[in-house]
Amino acid sequence: MSKEEVTATRKRLDPEQRREQLLDIGAKLFGERPYEDVLIEEVAELAGVSRGLMYHYFPNKRDFSAAIVQRSAEQLLAATEIDPNLPMAEQISAGLDAYINHFVKNPHGVLAISRGSLSGDPAIQRVVDWEQEVLRDRMLGALGVPDDQREITAAALLGWIGFTRAVCTDWIQSPSISREDLRD
């Protein structure tokens, strides 16, 4: 952000607006650089607030990153909500496109969560697990699985989601195939 943008952000905001501003700045920085390279002090400076105010909203960098991951998961889930009236193949294709778009827009965050310093953090893992469970449950609902097949289908879908996440993570790190081939 430029100094003009920082100066423009130095205004009184209500607590929710300030929190969202801090999350926006953090998401942008974490999207551009690895977790380790983003400093809380930098986020506070870009927001035009004191470091103390930053810690009022987020007690530490891990909590701040967990809030960013939670918001990112919510955005991913909103983006992957597909029209149930579409044929199943189109629903899957549209959902995968939205999923891949999310990974492309957030490469550093995805890598930090999947393989980096945040991958073993329990708070981050809870968000990832929740996101995957929501995706699984949506797919179960869309497929109309009979009750006697629900558990085995749920396990298979969770495995497929984990596989998809791993393949997309590999691809953003080293895109050796086209995006279309990745989706297909």
Side-chain angles (χ1 to χ4, degrees), residues 105-122:
K105 290 179 184 174
N106 304 287
H108 292 295
V110 168
L111 291 173
I113 292 165
S114 300
R115 298 199 174 135
S117 57
L118 297 177
S119 63
D121 186 275

Side-chain angles (χ1 to χ4, degrees), residues 5-169:
E5 290 173 306
V6 172
T7 304
T9 61
R10 291 180 192 237
K11 60 183 177 182
R12 184 165 293 284
L13 299 175
D14 72 46
E16 187 56 33
Q17 289 174 319
R18 181 65 72 194
R19 185 177 190 282
E20 286 301 310
Q21 177 204 32
L22 296 170
L23 290 172
D24 288 343
I25 292 169
K28 181 178 184 327
L29 294 176
F30 286 126
E32 296 170 348
R33 301 193 308 252
Y35 172 83
E36 297 79 13
D37 294 346
V38 176
L39 303 175
I40 290 293
E41 293 78 10
E42 179 183 13
V43 175
E45 180 182 330
L46 290 170
V49 300
S50 70
R51 194 172 86 187
L53 184 63
M54 178 78 190
Y55 286 114
H56 169 75
Y57 287 95
F58 308 99
N60 55 51
K61 187 175 177 181
R62 290 272 180 194
D63 288 346
F64 181 54
S65 61
I68 291 169
V69 171
Q70 178 67 42
R71 190 174 78 160
S72 179
E74 291 165 2
Q75 291 167 343
L76 171 68
L77 292 172
T80 56
E81 191 139 355
I82 305 304
D83 180 358
N85 296 318
L86 291 174
M88 185 57 65
E90 287 181 37
Q91 288 184 49
I92 293 169
S93 184
L96 284 170
D97 281 338
Y99 197 82
I100 294 166
N101 283 342
H102 178 78
F103 276 54
V104 168
K105 290 179 184 174
N106 304 287
H108 292 295
V110 168
L111 291 173
I113 292 165
S114 300
R115 298 199 174 135
S117 57
L118 297 177
S119 63
D121 186 275
I124 301 296
Q125 195 55 54
R126 277 191 296 277
V127 174
V128 171
D129 291 346
W130 168 76
E131 172 191 297
Q132 291 180 338
E133 289 167 8
V134 170
L135 290 169
R136 178 204 58 207
D137 292 346
R138 278 186 191 166
M139 288 185 228
L140 274 172
L143 291 170
V145 177
D147 287 343
D148 65 334
Q149 296 294 309
R150 196 160 179 86
E151 282 188 47
I152 194 162
T153 306
L157 286 171
L158 203 52
W160 181 79
I161 292 166
F163 163 79
T164 301
R165 182 178 196 83
V167 170
C168 289
T169 300

